[in-house]
């Protein structure tokens, strides 16, 4: 117990118990994790159990390939699905991911396949280490990080779009107008 008080103070998952037979699923178009949408009550994810590492606002599940953030009101404001962790901290996400009701095959998913699944991205950033495809929607942003060999490594879904900030668009050298024309579905 003293360990929690010293090293995990404020981790909201300290008392959570993992559900037996847990089956992970994420819907990227809603977006939601285990049926909990962005903006939904964070504690509805208690079936995940105690996190590997956490603080009052951010928790990581290394064994599940998940990283979750909550806002000041205790709501889920971001989740990340890790398919391949370049620093070896997280195991690959073992669940399913869907888009518009169709399961996405995560094996061999590459940057080149993203437009066929999600349509044209708002912006594609490339640096010495990775690509990031930014998809913008009225109520959220989806970032898809890829290795230089174009394999998808991570999905990041967040309520507060990084691209909504002018300084971030400048940093990423974005030349498209903001707000974007949102894709119709």
């Amino acid at each position: 117990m003293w360990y929690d008080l010293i090293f995990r103070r404020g981790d909201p998952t300290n008392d959570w118990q993992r559900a037996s037979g847990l089956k992970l699923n994420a819907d990227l178009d809603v977006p939601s994790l285990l049926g909990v949408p962005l903006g939904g009550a964070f504690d509805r994810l208690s079936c995940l159990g105690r996190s590997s590492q956490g603080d009052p606002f951010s928790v990581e599940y290394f064994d599940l390939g998940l990283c979750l953030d909550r806002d000041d009101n205790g709501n889920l404001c971001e989740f990340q699905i890790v398919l391949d962790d370049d620093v070896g901290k997280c195991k690959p996400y073992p669940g399913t991911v869907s888009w518009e009701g169709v399961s996405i095959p995560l094996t061999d998913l590459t940057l080149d396949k993203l437009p066929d699944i999600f349509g044209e991205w708002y912006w594609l950033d490339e640096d010495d280490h990775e690509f990031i495809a930014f998809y913008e929607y009225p109520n959220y942003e989806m970032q898809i990080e890829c290795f230089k060999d174009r394999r998808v490594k991570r999905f990041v879904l967040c309520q507060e779009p990084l691209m909504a900030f002018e300084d971030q668009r400048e940093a990423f050298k974005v030349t498209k107008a903001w707000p974007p024309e949102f894709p119709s579905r």
Side-chain angles (χ1 to χ4, degrees), residues 81-121:
I81 298 169
V82 180
L83 303 183
D84 192 345
D85 184 6
D86 50 353
V87 295
K89 189 165 72 171
C90 284
K91 291 182 180 178
Y93 172 78
T96 61
V97 173
S98 64
W99 176 256
E100 296 181 337
V102 177
S103 184
I104 298 170
L106 300 177
T107 307
D108 301 322
L109 186 59
T110 65
L111 177 67
D112 302 320
K113 295 176 183 176
L114 298 181
D116 293 335
I117 299 168
F118 304 109
E120 182 182 342
W121 44 68

Side-chain angles (χ1 to χ4, degrees), residues 1 40 52 59 104 109 111 123 145-146 169 174 182:
M1 189 65 150
S52 306
V59 298
I104 298 170
L109 186 59
L111 177 67
W123 190 252
E145 299 176 5
C146 302
R169 292 193 307 277
V174 174
F182 295 112

Side-chain angles (χ1 to χ4, degrees), residues 57-71:
F57 299 103
S58 184
V59 298
E60 297 179 76
Y61 291 89
F62 301 144
D63 61 330
L64 299 177
L66 288 173
C67 304
L68 313 174
D69 288 350
R70 69 182 192 148
D71 62 21

Side-chain angles (χ1 to χ4, degrees), residues 92-158:
Y93 172 78
T96 61
V97 173
S98 64
W99 176 256
E100 296 181 337
V102 177
S103 184
I104 298 170
L106 300 177
T107 307
D108 301 322
L109 186 59
T110 65
L111 177 67
D112 302 320
K113 295 176 183 176
L114 298 181
D116 293 335
I117 299 168
F118 304 109
E120 182 182 342
W121 44 68
Y122 167 72
W123 190 252
L124 180 66
D125 182 66
E126 178 182 4
D127 64 21
D128 294 339
H129 308 289
E130 67 183 357
F131 294 95
I132 305 174
F134 290 89
Y135 286 88
E136 305 299 328
Y137 302 99
N139 299 314
Y140 70 103
E141 176 178 83
M142 178 169 59
Q143 301 169 23
I144 305 175
E145 299 176 5
C146 302
F147 291 106
K148 285 303 279 187
D149 68 3
R150 304 175 91 76
R151 289 178 300 121
V152 172
K153 64 178 173 177
R154 178 183 307 251
F155 292 92
V156 180
L157 290 102
C158 53

Side-chain angles (χ1 to χ4, degrees), residues 32-69:
S32 66
L33 177 65
L34 293 167
V36 179
L38 284 178
F42 188 80
D43 61 1
R44 289 180 47 205
L45 294 168
S46 63
C47 62
L48 293 172
R50 185 175 172 165
S51 68
S52 306
Q53 177 176 310
D55 63 41
F57 299 103
S58 184
V59 298
E60 297 179 76
Y61 291 89
F62 301 144
D63 61 330
L64 299 177
L66 288 173
C67 304
L68 313 174
D69 288 350

